[in-house]
Amino acid sequence: MSNVVTIAVDGPAGAGKSTVVRRVAEALNLLYLDTGAMYRAATVGMYDQGIDPDDAAAIAAWCTHRAIDFDAHGAVRLDGNVVDPQRLRSPETTAEIWRIANNAACRAHLVNLQQGIVQGRGAALEGRDATTVICPEATLKVYLDASPEERARRRLAQWSGDGALAPDFASLVEDLRLRDERDRTRASGALQCADDAVPLLTDGLSVDQVVARIIALAVQRRPMVLEACVQDAVIVGRSRQSGYVRVAQGSIADPPAPWQLGLSNPSPDRQPSCTTSMTRNSGGRQAGILCQGKAVLVLGGKEAHPAWPMAMPMLPQTWYVIEPHVWHAVVQAPGTICAWAEASTISEERSPLSEYHQDILASYFQVYFPQ
Ligand code: DC
């Protein structure tokens, strides 16, 4: 199994893919690839070059010789020149993309470029054929969906222009349905939910919740991705067993030493039937995951005493939450959070869980403890 983590996300227009996948990539320190931007860049270039938009052969002949990539800031480039982002996302461009996207030769060329970009690198990519054509072997595949009505509502909520010029709800829904139809019925690279993709309907979910759920799914498949997200995500797990968890202390900013996973659930030797653990001893990093459908994800970092991970009791029915700056906390009853002090004693002080934390916890629970 390759160590490279690839998260591929497909879904219809307006499902929130770019926002969510960009955030997942940041959290897990992965390269973010917006494949739609490449189709958009090709469409803008095609018009600038005066290619006859009705001549599929001419479009293919032009497009298949284009270099399309991203600069260091993530701006898409066509033959080395950054494409104006306004034009990239304009309704005029959006309406014409199908001329590139439905052209099999153009698709083959773009897929080739996209595979070259993610080859051998940890990446989170999104589009229409990321899970089926570009990265069929991805570590995690997600099909992100939302009803046309929900997507139209989000579009309107994000409308930044003159209110009077905002599109009306019904025509937005209609427009999305038309784009869905085009995306789902094209001869090659059609949008579909891959058999092994996790369908994620985002109606009613916040961006934070969707991001948390995708991270949790990635961690289920590859526990070591925790190593990256310990810095900026809340990680949660639960044990049904009593025992001990080893922890290492951590701090993000000071000292700047990289955080390490320093925890593990009860060792497989002690509870062989319920635990698998993934251990990478070099560098003293460990990550553990408890099976039986109930995950324990506990992790920490190192600070002054990296060689001395602490032991703390892992109580039955205890929820563990790790987050940056608070670094270790335990939820012992719904709605309460009990901060785990650096001295590894449970603080007597309890404070209510913030709405944000409840949101994030709910997302993790959805993944780890589905009804
Ligand atoms: O994700 P987006 O809205 O920026 O994508 C723009 C269009 O590009 C979309 O309507 C379909 C097409 N596309 C595609 O065919 N395959 C991809 N992998 C990404 C986008």
Side-chain angles (χ1 to χ4, degrees):
M1 185 171 64
S2 152
N3 276 332
V4 173
V5 171
T6 314
I7 299 176
V9 179
D10 284 325
K17 296 186 300 295
S18 344
T19 312
V20 162
V21 178
R22 193 187 300 272
R23 289 259 315 264
V24 169
E26 278 167 17
L28 301 183
N29 198 20
L30 301 171
L31 172 83
Y32 167 65
L33 175 60
D34 170 2
T35 61
M38 298 171 76
Y39 286 86
R40 291 177 178 276
T43 306
V44 170
M46 175 183 85
Y47 275 88
D48 285 354
Q49 289 302 308
I51 315 278
D52 177 357
D54 293 319
D55 186 344
I59 295 174
W62 173 80
C63 180
T64 51
H65 290 91
R66 301 286 64 80
I68 304 177
D69 62 4
F70 296 83
D71 73 8
H73 307 289
V76 64
R77 296 189 298 199
L78 179 68
D79 290 333
N81 301 312
V82 169
V83 182
D84 174 10
Q86 300 270 347
R87 293 188 62 208
L88 214 57
R89 306 248 143 233
S90 75
E92 292 74 26
T93 301
T94 302
E96 295 297 312
I97 296 174
W98 65 272
R99 296 181 190 275
I100 301 281
N102 285 9
N103 187 309
C106 297
R107 287 203 81 84
H109 178 59
L110 289 181
V111 166
N112 203 24
L113 294 176
Q114 289 152 0
Q115 288 175 332
I117 292 172
V118 299
Q119 175 73 38
R121 308 178 63 167
L125 67 160
E126 47 99 357
R128 305 298 186 285
D129 55 354
T131 59
T132 53
V133 180
I134 309 169
C135 286
E137 307 297 330
T139 320
L140 168 65
K141 303 186 201 178
V142 175
Y143 186 84
L144 204 65
D145 207 351
S147 64
E149 290 76 15
E150 171 86 7
R151 289 184 275 147
R153 263 193 296 279
R154 289 179 193 164
R155 279 269 151 92
L156 283 178
Q158 285 166 359
W159 180 260
S160 54
D162 181 347
L165 298 177
D168 71 276
F169 185 75
S171 63
L172 262 181
V173 170
E174 200 37 49
D175 185 48
L176 285 164
R177 285 195 203 281
L178 180 70
R179 286 184 68 189
D180 289 357
E181 180 68 15
R182 282 205 176 121
D183 284 345
R184 290 192 176 117
T185 55
R186 69 170 53 94
S188 67
L191 172 64
Q192 54 175 307
C193 181
D195 289 344
D196 51 355
V198 179
L200 189 47
L201 187 67
T202 65
D203 285 33
L205 295 182
S206 69
V207 170
D208 283 338
Q209 287 173 321
V210 179
V211 169
R213 222 174 276 194
I214 293 178
I215 291 174
L217 288 164
V219 171
Q220 270 192 329
R221 281 155 185 75
R222 203 65 73 76
M224 289 311 288
V225 308
L226 284 175
E227 198 166 353
C229 70
V230 67
Q231 296 192 11
D232 49 11
V234 176
I235 307 299
V236 63
R238 185 178 83 158
S239 164
R240 297 194 312 163
Q241 315 284 336
S242 54
Y244 286 88
V245 178
R246 292 192 297 137
V247 216
Q249 291 194 359
S251 147
I252 293 169
D254 183 27
W259 276 51
Q260 292 187 355
L261 292 183
L263 311 197
S264 69
N265 48 309
S267 82
D269 312 335
R270 262 186 282 160
Q271 301 190 13
S273 63
C274 68
T275 306
T276 59
S277 87
M278 215 186 89
T279 305
R280 201 161 50 130
N281 274 325
S282 59
R285 294 165 185 209
Q286 294 186 322
I289 181 161
L290 195 72
C291 283
Q292 284 189 331
K294 308 289 180 201
V296 140
L297 298 174
V298 206
L299 71 159
K302 64 170 186 174
E303 201 173 41
H305 310 290
W308 297 103
M310 299 186 304
M312 65 177 195
M314 192 163 75
L315 307 167
Q317 303 298 334
T318 295
W319 302 97
Y320 292 83
V321 183
I322 308 287
E323 60 175 307
H325 306 298
V326 175
W327 91 258
H328 193 190
V330 181
V331 179
Q332 289 187 305
T336 67
I337 189 164
C338 169
W340 199 285
E342 285 184 16
S344 131
T345 51
I346 298 178
S347 153
E348 290 303 313
E349 261 174 56
R350 292 189 179 196
S351 56
L353 267 187
S354 69
E355 242 173 67
Y356 170 77
H357 284 119
Q358 303 223 22
D359 241 27
I360 298 298
L361 285 173
S363 304
Y364 279 96
F365 294 169
Q366 286 279 342
V367 169
Y368 292 122
F369 315 111
Q371 296 304 309

mmCIF file of all heavy atoms in Angstrom, residues 92-108:
data_model
loop_
_atom_site.group_PDB
_atom_site.id
_atom_site.type_symbol
_atom_site.label_atom_id
_atom_site.label_comp_id
_atom_site.label_asym_id
_atom_site.label_seq_id
_atom_site.Cartn_x
_atom_site.Cartn_y
_atom_site.Cartn_z
ATOM 1 N N GLU A 92 -20.627 33.402 -18.395
ATOM 2 C CA GLU A 92 -20.395 33.145 -19.831
ATOM 3 C C GLU A 92 -19.460 31.945 -19.989
ATOM 4 O O GLU A 92 -19.695 31.061 -20.817
ATOM 5 C CB GLU A 92 -19.754 34.371 -20.511
ATOM 6 C CG GLU A 92 -20.649 35.603 -20.618
ATOM 7 C CD GLU A 92 -20.828 36.319 -19.284
ATOM 8 O OE1 GLU A 92 -19.949 36.216 -18.402
ATOM 9 O OE2 GLU A 92 -21.879 36.979 -19.108
ATOM 10 N N THR A 93 -18.383 31.938 -19.205
ATOM 11 C CA THR A 93 -17.453 30.803 -19.283
ATOM 12 C C THR A 93 -18.153 29.525 -18.847
ATOM 13 O O THR A 93 -18.100 28.495 -19.529
ATOM 14 C CB THR A 93 -16.219 31.063 -18.365
ATOM 15 O OG1 THR A 93 -15.577 32.258 -18.795
ATOM 16 C CG2 THR A 93 -15.242 29.906 -18.414
ATOM 17 N N THR A 94 -18.865 29.601 -17.703
ATOM 18 C CA THR A 94 -19.533 28.414 -17.162
ATOM 19 C C THR A 94 -20.465 27.792 -18.203
ATOM 20 O O THR A 94 -20.525 26.569 -18.354
ATOM 21 C CB THR A 94 -20.319 28.794 -15.887
ATOM 22 O OG1 THR A 94 -19.393 29.361 -14.957
ATOM 23 C CG2 THR A 94 -20.989 27.591 -15.258
ATOM 24 N N ALA A 95 -21.162 28.659 -18.935
ATOM 25 C CA ALA A 95 -22.139 28.150 -19.909
ATOM 26 C C ALA A 95 -21.462 27.440 -21.082
ATOM 27 O O ALA A 95 -22.106 26.660 -21.791
ATOM 28 C CB ALA A 95 -22.997 29.310 -20.417
ATOM 29 N N GLU A 96 -20.198 27.702 -21.308
ATOM 30 C CA GLU A 96 -19.522 27.143 -22.495
ATOM 31 C C GLU A 96 -18.557 26.000 -22.179
ATOM 32 O O GLU A 96 -17.987 25.406 -23.092
ATOM 33 C CB GLU A 96 -18.741 28.266 -23.213
ATOM 34 C CG GLU A 96 -19.622 29.361 -23.789
ATOM 35 C CD GLU A 96 -20.559 28.822 -24.874
ATOM 36 O OE1 GLU A 96 -20.091 28.106 -25.770
ATOM 37 O OE2 GLU A 96 -21.770 29.115 -24.796
ATOM 38 N N ILE A 97 -18.378 25.697 -20.905
ATOM 39 C CA ILE A 97 -17.380 24.678 -20.541
ATOM 40 C C ILE A 97 -17.667 23.322 -21.171
ATOM 41 O O ILE A 97 -16.757 22.562 -21.484
ATOM 42 C CB ILE A 97 -17.299 24.515 -19.009
ATOM 43 C CG1 ILE A 97 -16.807 25.802 -18.367
ATOM 44 C CG2 ILE A 97 -16.358 23.392 -18.610
ATOM 45 C CD1 ILE A 97 -16.825 25.771 -16.858
ATOM 46 N N TRP A 98 -18.949 23.041 -21.379
ATOM 47 C CA TRP A 98 -19.296 21.723 -21.914
ATOM 48 C C TRP A 98 -18.581 21.440 -23.234
ATOM 49 O O TRP A 98 -18.323 20.292 -23.577
ATOM 50 C CB TRP A 98 -20.813 21.592 -22.078
ATOM 51 C CG TRP A 98 -21.408 22.534 -23.098
ATOM 52 C CD1 TRP A 98 -21.845 23.792 -22.885
ATOM 53 C CD2 TRP A 98 -21.595 22.263 -24.496
ATOM 54 N NE1 TRP A 98 -22.299 24.352 -24.058
ATOM 55 C CE2 TRP A 98 -22.167 23.415 -25.060
ATOM 56 C CE3 TRP A 98 -21.351 21.158 -25.316
ATOM 57 C CZ2 TRP A 98 -22.490 23.512 -26.414
ATOM 58 C CZ3 TRP A 98 -21.681 21.249 -26.665
ATOM 59 C CH2 TRP A 98 -22.239 22.414 -27.205
ATOM 60 N N ARG A 99 -18.209 22.497 -23.951
ATOM 61 C CA ARG A 99 -17.545 22.271 -25.251
ATOM 62 C C ARG A 99 -16.179 21.610 -25.052
ATOM 63 O O ARG A 99 -15.717 20.862 -25.891
ATOM 64 C CB ARG A 99 -17.389 23.592 -26.008
ATOM 65 C CG ARG A 99 -18.739 24.205 -26.376
ATOM 66 C CD ARG A 99 -18.555 25.497 -27.137
ATOM 67 N NE ARG A 99 -19.806 26.217 -27.288
ATOM 68 C CZ ARG A 99 -20.681 25.991 -28.268
ATOM 69 N NH1 ARG A 99 -20.454 25.076 -29.180
ATOM 70 N NH2 ARG A 99 -21.798 26.707 -28.329
ATOM 71 N N ILE A 100 -15.548 21.920 -23.933
ATOM 72 C CA ILE A 100 -14.286 21.252 -23.588
ATOM 73 C C ILE A 100 -14.584 19.945 -22.849
ATOM 74 O O ILE A 100 -14.039 18.893 -23.160
ATOM 75 C CB ILE A 100 -13.420 22.155 -22.669
ATOM 76 C CG1 ILE A 100 -13.084 23.495 -23.349
ATOM 77 C CG2 ILE A 100 -12.161 21.415 -22.202
ATOM 78 C CD1 ILE A 100 -11.971 23.453 -24.359
ATOM 79 N N ALA A 101 -15.493 20.040 -21.865
ATOM 80 C CA ALA A 101 -15.738 18.896 -20.980
ATOM 81 C C ALA A 101 -16.362 17.707 -21.725
ATOM 82 O O ALA A 101 -16.186 16.562 -21.316
ATOM 83 C CB ALA A 101 -16.625 19.314 -19.818
ATOM 84 N N ASN A 102 -17.103 17.968 -22.799
ATOM 85 C CA ASN A 102 -17.727 16.869 -23.540
ATOM 86 C C ASN A 102 -16.841 16.361 -24.676
ATOM 87 O O ASN A 102 -17.247 15.475 -25.418
ATOM 88 C CB ASN A 102 -19.071 17.319 -24.143
ATOM 89 C CG ASN A 102 -20.150 17.424 -23.084
ATOM 90 O OD1 ASN A 102 -19.853 17.318 -21.900
ATOM 91 N ND2 ASN A 102 -21.383 17.627 -23.503
ATOM 92 N N ASN A 103 -15.687 16.961 -24.822
ATOM 93 C CA ASN A 103 -14.802 16.594 -25.928
ATOM 94 C C ASN A 103 -13.806 15.536 -25.416
ATOM 95 O O ASN A 103 -12.959 15.813 -24.563
ATOM 96 C CB ASN A 103 -14.072 17.874 -26.394
ATOM 97 C CG ASN A 103 -13.260 17.653 -27.634
ATOM 98 O OD1 ASN A 103 -12.464 16.729 -27.699
ATOM 99 N ND2 ASN A 103 -13.460 18.509 -28.623
ATOM 100 N N ALA A 104 -13.929 14.319 -25.935
ATOM 101 C CA ALA A 104 -13.154 13.199 -25.375
ATOM 102 C C ALA A 104 -11.646 13.449 -25.437
ATOM 103 O O ALA A 104 -10.917 13.112 -24.493
ATOM 104 C CB ALA A 104 -13.507 11.905 -26.106
ATOM 105 N N ALA A 105 -11.174 14.065 -26.531
ATOM 106 C CA ALA A 105 -9.720 14.299 -26.655
ATOM 107 C C ALA A 105 -9.260 15.322 -25.622
ATOM 108 O O ALA A 105 -8.201 15.170 -24.998
ATOM 109 C CB ALA A 105 -9.384 14.775 -28.072
ATOM 110 N N CYS A 106 -10.079 16.377 -25.432
ATOM 111 C CA CYS A 106 -9.727 17.391 -24.411
ATOM 112 C C CYS A 106 -9.700 16.746 -23.031
ATOM 113 O O CYS A 106 -8.777 16.984 -22.237
ATOM 114 C CB CYS A 106 -10.734 18.538 -24.417
ATOM 115 S SG CYS A 106 -10.794 19.458 -25.954
ATOM 116 N N ARG A 107 -10.717 15.932 -22.762
ATOM 117 C CA ARG A 107 -10.779 15.282 -21.440
ATOM 118 C C ARG A 107 -9.548 14.429 -21.205
ATOM 119 O O ARG A 107 -8.938 14.472 -20.136
ATOM 120 C CB ARG A 107 -12.017 14.380 -21.311
ATOM 121 C CG ARG A 107 -13.313 15.076 -21.160
ATOM 122 C CD ARG A 107 -14.343 14.154 -20.475
ATOM 123 N NE ARG A 107 -14.148 14.172 -19.035
ATOM 124 C CZ ARG A 107 -14.655 15.091 -18.227
ATOM 125 N NH1 ARG A 107 -15.424 16.050 -18.704
ATOM 126 N NH2 ARG A 107 -14.407 15.058 -16.943
ATOM 127 N N ALA A 108 -9.188 13.637 -22.215
ATOM 128 C CA ALA A 108 -8.040 12.736 -22.044
ATOM 129 C C ALA A 108 -6.779 13.553 -21.724
ATOM 130 O O ALA A 108 -5.987 13.181 -20.851
ATOM 131 C CB ALA A 108 -7.844 11.912 -23.313
#
